[in-house]
Amino acid sequence: MYQPPHSLDCCGGLGNVDYSKVDFSAMAFLLSYVDVTDSIFGVAVFFIAFNPLFWNLVARWEHRTRALTRIFRSPYTACYALGAVILLLNFLRSHCFEEAMKRQPKLEALDSLPGYYAGAGLVAIGVVFVLSSFLALGFVGTFLGDYFGILMKAKVTCFPFSVLDNPMYCGSTAIYLGWALM
């Protein structure tokens, strides 16, 4: 019988883990600095999860049905329309994230000038990766043009793709982490 390479079957899987021996004190400490009951926090978490789910489902639906291409009468126009919706959703996600961060408790150690500079450094690194990815791929390449049948002539291998496999995702994560630190 075939076993996937990352299967946990070799050790009895997760059913073989004794959770009574796990020390959750570090997690409890960190969670004491997060107010999960804040409604804005919940909205931010929703949009953080919803946005990539939305654009991936819509892109796969378009790839299977070509419905957006038929509605907009052009794969380019449909891709630009989806890209505009993705950008609007990202602005909404960023706004909700910022509002949630304003209302969350702060770690005293991070509420300092070195913490601010560390956050600013992460934001700067993230912006470099996101913008250079966008410049390398263009609008259509960034916003799922391949699902609309718009393919690039060759695989992009220049910076930042020569450094990371997913520079846009890594850059976005660095931006949000840095923003949270700031």
Side-chain angles (χ1 to χ4, degrees), residues 20-55:
S20 68
K21 295 182 181 179
V22 176
D23 181 12
F24 289 106
S25 61
M27 184 60 76
F29 171 75
L30 289 175
L31 286 177
S32 70
Y33 286 96
V34 179
D35 180 8
V36 295
T37 62
D38 179 29
S39 61
I40 298 297
F41 179 81
V43 171
V45 168
F46 170 79
F47 279 109
I48 288 167
F50 172 78
N51 286 9
L53 181 66
F54 168 80
W55 73 60

Side-chain angles (χ1 to χ4, degrees), residues 13-93:
L14 292 176
N16 205 25
V17 176
D18 184 2
Y19 292 103
S20 68
K21 295 182 181 179
V22 176
D23 181 12
F24 289 106
S25 61
M27 184 60 76
F29 171 75
L30 289 175
L31 286 177
S32 70
Y33 286 96
V34 179
D35 180 8
V36 295
T37 62
D38 179 29
S39 61
I40 298 297
F41 179 81
V43 171
V45 168
F46 170 79
F47 279 109
I48 288 167
F50 172 78
N51 286 9
L53 181 66
F54 168 80
W55 73 60
N56 279 295
L57 289 175
V58 170
R60 289 168 191 249
W61 173 70
E62 166 61 19
H63 184 69
R64 276 194 330 277
T65 66
R66 297 288 185 236
L68 292 175
T69 297
R70 283 195 307 275
I71 291 168
F72 287 98
R73 298 182 183 173
S74 161
Y76 286 92
T77 307
C79 183
Y80 282 113
L82 178 60
V85 170
I86 290 170
L87 285 172
L88 289 173
L89 283 171
N90 284 339
F91 286 129
L92 181 59
R93 174 183 62 187

